[in-house]
Amino acid sequence: MHKVVISGSGLFTPPNAVSNQELVAAFNCYVQAFNQQHQALIEAGHCAPLAESSAEFIEKASGIKQRYLMDKHGVLDPLRMRPYLPERSNEVLSLQAEMGVAAAREALQSAGKQPEDIDMVVVACSNMQRPYPAISIEVQHALGINGFAFDMNVACSSATFGIQTASNAIASGQARAVLVISPEICSAHLNFRDRDSHFIFGDAASAVLLERADTADAPQQFEVLGSHLATVFSNAIRNNFGFLNACDEQGIGKPDKLFVQQGRKVFKEVCPMVGEHILQHLSALNIAPSDVRRFWLHQANLSMNHLIARRILGRDASLDEAPVILDRYANTSSAGSIIAFHLNKQDLIANDIGVISSFGAGYSIGSVVLKMC
Ligand code: COA
């Protein structure tokens, strides 16, 4: 079995930053218009008035201050409240592939690798903009990579599941080097008219390059000491969008065809599972939690991360130990923990241990333990 390292990473950040205040202003405009339109029904008790959102609540409940979106005008238009992302001709690189290619190029560059060094491309994310041809094969083609590519979806845990798949392929000799790319356009699956969740997500693409340790010559490399995945079925985070929707006209356009969650339930159920998962993984590798230099945790909710870190360390984690990017990026689904890794690894030194961790719909949980070479 070959030793595997992560030798490069990349990030694509969309151009449109949207603050909580901007998002709330658009949402509240929509609420006021709705309540005005339905005034008679509301007064007669036949329709519940909609409640306004608040930027203070959002920051307090989630830690999110802003997000980056592929399009902000459509989202902030109270008459539309969804991104405007025009369809492209089949001859043009698709939007999601374009985001993935940008992140992948940076990962290649930071690893000092060329497309001909790569044998496998995995696009691992929560939503694919079409079923086929696979987005990954389009990315592979755009980058000029030989070998093979495939898409995989394990919601917010897609990147860690992708890293395990890549790592196994390299360790067993099936591939010399693999790109795992997570281009997330979460704004297109988010219901911006839902007060409970309209603030949760942002868009971004991340990429990591994994390769055999004996071929790596990047200035910073992280050996993959192990990965640990788990899934437990739950309906608490669900999206019923899919190819069967067209077969029942009654369901088309209903809110369940976008992201729906029971946030409180997710919070309560997932935090202990993730804490236990990471503790078990570290224990199996004979690593004490106190010996972990950095936790690149999934970036969904700041209080969740505080709770998880407390469960693992028995005390609060410092920002240095568990860096936060969700304040700027919001929840970017599978890209979140990889963005945290990409932006917060430069200061580590040889033999430092770090843990990438993800959790999300499924439920799905993943952890990857790394040692800087
Ligand atoms: N603005 C103002 N108030 C709001 C609001 C908004 N946008 N949304 C909800 N509220 C209100 C609720 O009506 C409720 O009021 P009440 O106490 O009078 O009934 C109160 O705020 C608390 O609502 P609740 O939904 O319990 O908030 P919360 O503290 O659980 O925070 C989340 C909500 C979504 C931030 C939080 O539950 C969360 O992040 N959960 C985990 C989500 C997650 O990780 N999902 C994985 C996704 S991949």
Side-chain angles (χ1 to χ4, degrees):
M1 297 292 264
H2 300 286
K3 207 154 98 170
V4 180
V5 296
I6 295 182
S7 56
S9 63
L11 167 65
F12 167 80
T13 301
N16 309 293
V18 174
S19 68
N20 289 345
Q21 286 75 10
E22 285 177 279
L23 200 65
V24 165
F27 181 86
N28 289 349
C29 250
Y30 153 73
V31 165
Q32 286 151 19
F34 178 94
N35 289 346
Q36 213 164 12
Q37 255 173 27
H38 298 82
Q39 195 176 355
L41 286 173
I42 291 169
E43 283 170 1
H46 297 312
C47 171
L50 295 182
E52 294 195 355
S53 182
S54 120
E56 294 70 39
F57 168 84
I58 294 171
E59 189 173 340
K60 193 160 172 266
S62 68
I64 295 165
K65 296 179 183 163
Q66 65 156 46
R67 70 284 296 137
Y68 293 97
L69 302 181
M70 293 305 286
D71 170 65
K72 69 189 269 185
H73 297 293
V75 168
L76 296 180
D77 175 355
L79 297 176
R80 179 179 172 87
M81 300 185 83
R82 60 174 50 168
Y84 180 62
L85 303 171
E87 288 190 6
R88 297 178 177 184
S89 113
N90 290 356
E91 314 319 313
V92 176
L93 192 67
S94 60
L95 185 64
Q96 207 170 11
E98 185 179 292
M99 294 167 69
V101 164
R105 282 199 203 285
E106 190 184 354
L108 280 164
Q109 197 188 9
S110 67
K113 293 287 150 185
Q114 301 300 321
E116 53 267 29
D117 299 321
I118 310 298
D119 290 333
M120 171 174 154
V121 176
V122 182
V123 165
C125 61
S126 284
N127 293 284
M128 304 296 166
Q129 74 172 75
R130 61 167 186 265
Y132 45 83
I135 306 296
S136 54
I137 300 177
E138 193 182 5
V139 170
Q140 175 198 3
H141 176 68
L143 291 171
I145 291 171
N146 295 320
F148 63 100
F150 57 91
D151 293 350
M152 56 186 280
N153 176 357
V154 201
C156 288
S157 283
S158 298
T160 53
F161 279 58
I163 287 172
Q164 172 160 304
T165 308
S167 187
N168 288 344
I170 296 165
S172 64
Q174 288 167 334
R176 293 166 301 156
V178 182
L179 278 165
V180 179
I181 307 168
S182 302
E184 294 283 12
I185 313 178
C186 299
S187 58
H189 85 154
L190 183 51
N191 183 353
F192 285 99
R193 292 191 174 91
D194 175 29
R195 178 174 176 258
D196 289 342
S197 64
H198 75 112
F199 53 88
I200 285 180
F201 286 107
D203 303 331
S206 65
V208 284
L209 194 152
L210 294 100
E211 62 177 309
R212 276 165 49 169
D214 58 9
T215 65
D217 51 12
Q220 199 180 29
Q221 299 167 28
F222 294 87
E223 183 187 347
V224 178
L225 296 182
S227 53
H228 179 35
L229 311 179
T231 49
V232 178
F233 185 72
S234 166
N235 276 322
I237 313 171
R238 191 159 174 131
N239 182 342
N240 286 332
F241 180 77
F243 81 108
L244 289 181
N245 294 163
C247 306
D248 182 355
E249 287 75 1
Q250 288 185 31
I252 294 174
K254 292 274 163 62
D256 73 318
K257 306 303 182 299
L258 292 166
F259 170 88
V260 181
Q261 78 166 352
Q262 296 160 260
R264 221 358 105 91
K265 187 171 158 68
V266 175
F267 196 112
K268 280 195 190 141
E269 290 181 348
V270 167
C271 287
M273 285 163 73
V274 175
E276 209 44 50
H277 182 97
I278 293 175
L279 281 172
Q280 273 177 19
H281 191 186
L282 289 171
S283 164
L285 293 168
N286 284 320
I287 296 170
S290 55
D291 287 338
V292 177
R293 173 72 183 83
R294 187 147 294 159
F295 292 92
W296 297 288
L297 298 176
H298 180 51
Q299 302 283 317
N301 180 300
L302 193 53
S303 307
M304 281 179 104
N305 285 9
H306 287 160
L307 214 63
I308 291 165
R310 269 205 292 277
R311 206 167 175 104
I312 297 167
L313 294 170
R315 58 168 174 82
D316 289 338
S318 67
L319 267 181
D320 183 65
E321 289 170 310
V324 175
I325 60 104
L326 68 86
D327 53 345
R328 286 160 288 156
Y329 281 85
N331 181 348
T332 50
S333 193
S334 64
S337 55
I338 305 300
I339 299 174
F341 169 73
H342 175 75
L343 296 177
N344 296 282
K345 62 176 161 58
Q346 287 73 11
D347 60 320
L348 296 199
I349 56 170
N351 296 321
D352 274 350
I353 302 282
V355 179
I356 296 177
S357 148
S358 67
F359 54 82
Y363 295 129
S364 55
I365 301 173
S367 54
V368 182
V369 178
L370 302 174
K371 183 172 83 171
M372 195 173 137
C373 302

